[in-house]
Amino acid sequence: MNVPVAWVLGQSDLALALKGGSAGVEREINLALATELPNPFRWLSGGELLLTTGIRLADTSEERVAYLRGLDACNVAAVGFGTGLTHPTVPDDLVRAADEIGLPLFEVPLRTPFAAVVKRVTARLAEQQYDAVLRASRAQPRMTRAVVFGGAQAIVRELARSLASKVLVLDPSGRVVESHPKSLDAALLAEIKEALASDTSTASSSVSLDKTGAAITHQRISVGSDDHGDLVVVSKLPLSHIDQILLGHANSLLALDFEKPARLQAAQNKLNSHALGLLLSTEADLAPAWVQLAAAADSRNNIRVLAASCETASATKVVAAALEEAMNRAGHSLFMQSHDRQVIVVLPGSEDATFARRVSTGIASSVRKLIRVGVSGVHPVDQVVAAVDNAKLAASAAERGGLPLEFSALTGQALLSFDASRRILNAVADTMLTPVEDYDRSNGTELLASLRAFLEANGHWESAAAATGVHRHTLRKRISQTEALLGCNLDIARVRAELLLAIMARGS
């Protein structure tokens, strides 16, 4: 960051007056300091605004002019001469020498402290530094978004705008593949290619000057041993370190953009090879598919499966899109099948119904009421077929529009979860239980309740009697009456199981 000498002279409250060297007022200041050393040259690096009262200035005109020429040789940007102490005015020989060599020389009146000049320049430099950092912080996300929507062309355009420079990308053969602006001077292109060709250094970045004095900065775009070419910036001045950060960010984004097609092509080649192997083999070798599916498992090589049954084709598309987005957001490999209004996705075994609930509740209610979602239990990855069957079974039993149902929740009620099974059991109940229900209503007895307790106790008299709160002899009498009404033998386990399911279907 630099401050033009003209800007400092323009600060009216400092009351600085240019005395000589007007030709150099566009020189750039990068540091303001005060010194009374007669020979400060060895400590100067260029770009300084040097402030002095001339207290140790030489007595002869020749020595004073040599002092000023020495400062110019060190690339000092300007000299501020304080008057009112040692010298009432700026010496005329210094003014003449300043005009001759073009080194700005201005008077600093007694009422203006050197510290005020130093602070003003320092504050301006800090302000520029902040502006540069702010500009970079805004440019970086713009370039990141650009790579998503516009690729290399958009990155080059954003970098050129951020640096107010010409930017181009050359492939390894030296052909320009992207540039901003689109049309570049042929002589400049030739000079850029010459600079790249003559750069024999192993460094990934270098700077050179073209014939007009502009800076040519280039960085190699590479990932590992893969060389994708060069990113080149042509700027009026050498890039600042903030500009270099932007250049490096753009380089990284370009490298990722160039690598992406290579990775996709490699993946496509792998899938193509697997497909060809299946076509050429007499017996399908599914080993590659199992290796691929392993990416879906958790650290213990376990998976779950989520199944969604949808009422419409449009609902199926919405569910598939929601699952794909959720899987990508969670960082999981996506293994999904969408067919016949049913969506199947493989989850890591470490996920549970919470994941399915997040996806389900994130879907619009108008669509959610058209889907049923089921989740399998945890299975080894090689049991994916069983996991899919379990997830489908859970989905078919889930409430439409309700929360996802885990397969484990079906334990003990699987048959009652399906309409077809329930209809059969209700028919059994109507045929077999009606006589017992009629008897209870007519006589005020509790034969049906006693029968259920007996069946749920699996025929154990003591447990069933305790559950109904009667003596076991009373329970035996009730069960005998029930057997007579039903016309069946409750000693047979199959009969007991069928009756219990019929009672549960009637009561649920």
Side-chain angles (χ1 to χ4, degrees):
M1 301 297 115
N2 299 304
V3 177
V5 174
W7 182 89
V8 180
L9 294 171
Q11 305 303 298
S12 58
D13 58 316
L14 296 178
L16 306 176
L18 183 66
K19 295 298 182 179
S22 59
V25 292
E26 294 305 320
R27 291 191 182 194
E28 300 281 334
I29 300 168
N30 57 34
L31 176 67
L33 56 88
T35 179
E36 301 298 343
L37 293 174
N39 297 295
F41 316 119
R42 59 183 294 188
W43 291 286
L44 301 174
S45 58
E48 294 89 354
L49 165 56
L50 189 144
L51 302 170
T52 180
T53 64
I55 193 171
R56 298 181 66 182
L57 197 62
D59 294 331
T60 67
S61 177
E62 291 78 8
E63 289 178 301
R64 288 197 292 266
V65 171
Y67 167 77
L68 202 63
R69 290 187 180 279
L71 295 179
D72 183 60
C74 293
N75 294 316
V76 167
V79 176
F81 199 96
T83 59
L85 291 174
T86 309
H87 299 271
T89 61
V90 180
D92 291 338
D93 49 7
L94 288 183
V95 174
R96 289 192 297 271
D99 282 332
E100 183 181 339
I101 62 179
L103 174 63
L105 173 66
F106 56 81
E107 179 183 1
V108 183
L110 183 61
R111 67 181 178 84
T112 302
F114 282 180
V117 179
V118 172
K119 286 181 179 178
R120 186 64 57 84
V121 172
T122 303
R124 178 59 179 163
L125 289 170
E127 186 180 272
Q128 290 181 325
Q129 183 79 3
Y130 174 77
D131 288 343
V133 172
L134 187 62
R135 174 170 53 84
S137 68
R138 290 172 176 170
Q140 282 184 315
R142 286 202 306 269
M143 283 193 285
T144 303
R145 288 192 295 270
V147 72
V148 175
F149 298 107
Q153 181 181 7
I155 297 171
V156 168
R157 183 175 62 251
E158 285 296 337
L159 182 62
R161 289 173 177 173
S162 299
L163 301 182
S165 304
K166 298 181 177 69
V167 177
L168 56 158
V169 175
L170 295 88
D171 66 15
S173 68
R175 182 176 62 91
V176 177
V177 293
E178 297 292 348
S179 70
H180 188 85
K182 280 295 184 182
S183 57
L184 295 172
D185 181 67
L188 175 61
L189 286 176
E191 195 166 351
I192 290 171
K193 292 180 180 181
E194 182 181 345
L196 294 178
S198 61
D199 182 13
T200 58
S201 67
T202 58
S204 60
S205 178
S206 65
V207 180
S208 59
L209 298 178
D210 72 1
K211 294 175 182 178
T212 67
I216 299 176
T217 307
H218 80 89
Q219 286 189 356
R220 191 148 298 123
I221 306 170
S222 61
V223 178
S225 59
D226 295 333
D227 182 8
H228 297 292
D230 290 274
L231 172 60
V232 181
V233 175
V234 182
S235 53
K236 292 181 180 178
L237 298 170
L239 300 181
S240 68
H241 68 278
I242 297 295
D243 294 335
Q244 291 280 0
I245 290 173
L246 284 177
L247 178 61
H249 183 65
N251 190 313
S252 299
L253 292 175
L254 286 168
L256 290 174
D257 192 62
F258 287 141
E259 278 288 301
K260 181 171 60 178
R263 293 196 303 272
L264 290 176
Q265 187 62 53
Q268 185 64 58
N269 291 344
K270 187 175 182 180
L271 289 174
N272 293 346
S273 297
H274 291 168
L276 181 60
L278 291 174
L279 291 171
L280 296 180
S281 62
T282 54
E283 295 183 2
D285 178 15
L286 297 180
W290 288 113
V291 171
Q292 195 84 356
L293 186 61
D298 61 15
S299 58
R300 297 185 177 182
N301 206 36
N302 289 330
I303 58 165
R304 290 178 186 264
V305 170
L306 182 151
S309 296
C310 308
E311 299 290 329
T312 65
S314 59
T316 306
K317 291 181 180 178
V318 171
V319 172
L323 283 169
E324 181 175 356
E325 181 182 355
M327 292 292 285
N328 290 337
R329 191 165 55 244
H332 299 324
S333 297
L334 181 63
F335 290 82
M336 184 169 69
Q337 283 286 312
S338 180
H339 178 67
D340 197 21
R341 297 185 181 179
Q342 192 164 62
V343 183
I344 302 295
V345 66
V346 182
L347 308 176
S350 53
E351 290 287 7
D352 55 21
T354 303
F355 178 87
R357 283 194 291 270
R358 283 200 305 269
V359 177
S360 179
T361 54
I363 296 173
S365 58
S366 58
V367 177
R368 192 164 64 245
K369 67 182 182 181
L370 300 176
I371 63 174
R372 304 171 187 264
V373 180
V375 182
S376 76
V378 176
H379 290 260
V381 70
D382 59 359
Q383 293 182 15
V384 64
V385 175
V388 169
D389 290 341
N390 288 356
K392 287 182 177 179
L393 191 62
S396 65
E399 181 183 354
R400 189 174 66 177
L403 293 175
L405 179 65
E406 289 192 83
F407 180 77
S408 58
L410 294 177
T411 303
Q413 58 178 1
L415 288 175
L416 299 178
S417 300
F418 305 103
D419 291 339
S421 301
R422 188 183 291 275
R423 285 195 297 271
I424 294 172
L425 292 172
N426 279 329
V428 172
D430 290 340
T431 302
M432 300 189 67
L433 299 182
T434 298
V436 181
E437 291 173 334
D438 291 344
Y439 186 89
D440 280 342
R441 278 194 298 270
S442 300
N443 298 280
T445 55
E446 297 181 357
L447 297 184
L448 188 60
S450 299
L451 174 62
R452 179 163 187 163
F454 175 72
L455 296 174
E456 288 181 340
N458 198 26
H460 295 147
W461 295 104
E462 295 290 346
S463 300
T468 56
V470 299
H471 194 276
R472 65 177 180 276
H473 294 311
T474 302
L475 181 63
R476 284 181 181 273
K477 182 178 179 181
R478 291 180 179 179
I479 297 303
S480 296
Q481 286 182 289
T482 303
E483 279 185 307
L485 290 169
L486 294 175
C488 64
N489 183 1
L490 295 179
D491 290 336
I492 302 173
R494 185 177 66 252
V495 173
R496 291 199 304 272
E498 194 172 272
L499 281 173
L500 179 58
L501 287 172
I503 293 172
M504 291 173 64
R506 176 66 64 86
S508 58

